[in-house]
Amino acid sequence: MNWLSRITPPGVSKMFSKRDTPENLWVKCPISGEMVFHKDLEAGLYVTPAGHHMRIGPALRFAYTFDAKWEEIPSPEVARDPLKFKDDKPYSNRIASARKKTGREDAMAIAVGRVQGVETTVVVQDFAFMGGSLGMAAGEAFLKACETAVERRTPLVMFAAAGGARMQEGALSLMQMPRTTLGVEMLKDAKLPYIVVLTDPTTGGVTASYAMLGDVHIAEPGALIGFAGPRVIEQTIREKLPEGFQRSEYLLEKGMVDKVVHRRDLPKTLGNILRTLLKRPVAATTTAPVAVEPEIETDKAAE
């Protein structure tokens, strides 16, 4: 407390208190270092002027992908903290904190709606929920999305974003890799398209399972896609990796992804691919996306 505060009569300081300023009024672009006004960022679908695609959650994904309205599908319930895991704090506390932060039960959200006129089941992996890690709940949600697509005879579009398997669930987490693969097989048996959109970052066991089993693989620009992170690889092989290694554009050049698409063009691209695979005519009209409240996580350099 400074000397001016000590001599100011009680109540007077409150009359001249500083106006509160939202913490996210300006967002720094990780590429250029430019400060971007949040309203401009929101209008640009959370893509900075330098082209950096910032991480977004399920609500914005659904709003940007579907033509207008969509129906959210509840995910199955699973056992909480099956191993009673504890490191520096209990796993149950970590789950509670992630649920409070995101407002969701776990890392995956499912919805059904129309994409450029094609009824589609969409499942989104939320990196803000414990790094989008694959655990029992996420595995069950993915299978639920596959079952929903088969029941409703719709294609499935998967927006992948994850740091890998959830270590707090041990082998139960690793078991989700073959289980989700069975879900993809369900779609193939039903002759329904499965499209994967790889976003930043998609790594670990997710890349080693359902994220690379699509009929078509699309990536957002600059997304980190791989199994182990570049830092781990460099430390293991003791060599400097090529420029842009494991980024969308590098993987497109090497044939691991089919197309790199800007976020604003994703709905149209998905619609064209789905209509082609389903042998359906071009939709007459579509409706503008629904506006939703921003839900954005400040990016940190992925390793």
Side-chain angles (χ1 to χ4, degrees), residues 32-297:
S32 64
E34 177 186 5
M35 299 301 292
V36 186
F37 187 49
H38 78 105
K39 287 293 183 183
D40 294 335
L41 197 60
E42 182 180 351
L45 307 185
Y46 290 94
V47 178
T48 69
H52 178 71
H53 285 54
M54 305 194 78
R55 297 168 188 163
I56 56 176
L60 287 175
R61 283 286 178 199
F62 293 149
Y64 295 162
T65 304
F66 290 121
D67 296 342
K69 297 183 294 184
W70 59 90
E71 173 194 356
E72 286 212 37
I73 307 297
S75 299
E77 292 187 6
V78 299
R80 293 187 179 186
D81 195 6
L83 303 181
K84 307 300 179 187
F85 189 91
K86 182 178 180 180
D87 41 54
D88 56 340
K89 66 179 178 179
Y91 174 45
S92 56
N93 290 1
R94 293 187 184 278
I95 288 285
S97 176
R99 286 175 176 169
K100 182 178 180 182
K101 175 184 176 182
T102 63
R104 295 190 176 272
E105 287 299 302
D106 210 87
M108 283 203 190
I110 313 163
V112 179
R114 291 189 175 274
V115 179
Q116 299 288 295
V118 179
E119 186 172 0
T120 306
T121 302
V122 175
V123 56
V124 178
Q125 203 160 2
D126 188 2
F127 192 80
F129 195 106
M130 295 186 68
S133 50
L134 176 62
M136 293 173 61
E140 288 293 337
F142 183 83
L143 287 172
K144 178 66 176 179
C146 295
E147 291 168 358
T148 301
V150 172
E151 289 170 4
R152 303 195 184 197
R153 301 299 302 170
T154 71
L156 178 64
V157 174
M158 169 74 210
F159 286 89
R166 189 170 297 175
M167 59 167 286
Q168 292 89 349
E169 295 183 14
L172 296 173
S173 173
L174 297 178
M175 287 169 60
Q176 306 312 310
M177 295 170 63
R179 293 186 75 241
T180 52
T181 301
L182 292 176
V184 176
E185 288 300 316
M186 288 170 48
L187 296 169
K188 293 186 183 299
D189 291 343
K191 300 187 185 305
L192 294 169
Y194 172 48
I195 313 300
V196 180
V197 181
L198 301 158
T199 71
D200 183 62
T202 302
T203 60
V206 171
T207 308
S209 55
Y210 56 86
M212 295 305 293
L213 294 177
D215 298 309
V216 179
H217 294 94
I218 301 171
E220 287 192 330
L224 175 67
I225 303 164
F227 183 69
R231 183 185 63 179
V232 174
I233 296 174
E234 285 188 339
Q235 290 176 346
T236 303
I237 66 175
R238 302 182 186 281
E239 289 185 18
K240 185 68 178 176
L241 296 173
E243 185 70 26
F245 182 75
Q246 290 186 316
R247 296 290 170 177
S248 302
E249 295 75 12
Y250 184 89
L251 297 183
L252 176 65
E253 181 185 336
K254 300 301 180 182
M256 287 190 66
V257 301
D258 299 301
K259 199 173 183 66
V260 176
V261 181
H262 192 284
R263 187 171 290 165
R264 65 170 176 269
D265 300 323
L266 272 174
K268 184 177 179 180
T269 301
L270 288 171
N272 289 339
I273 292 171
L274 293 174
R275 282 192 298 272
T276 300
L277 295 178
L278 294 169
K279 299 180 180 179
R280 294 183 185 177
V282 177
T285 57
T286 56
T287 308
V290 177
V292 296
E293 288 296 322
E295 49 165 38
I296 182 170
E297 177 191 7

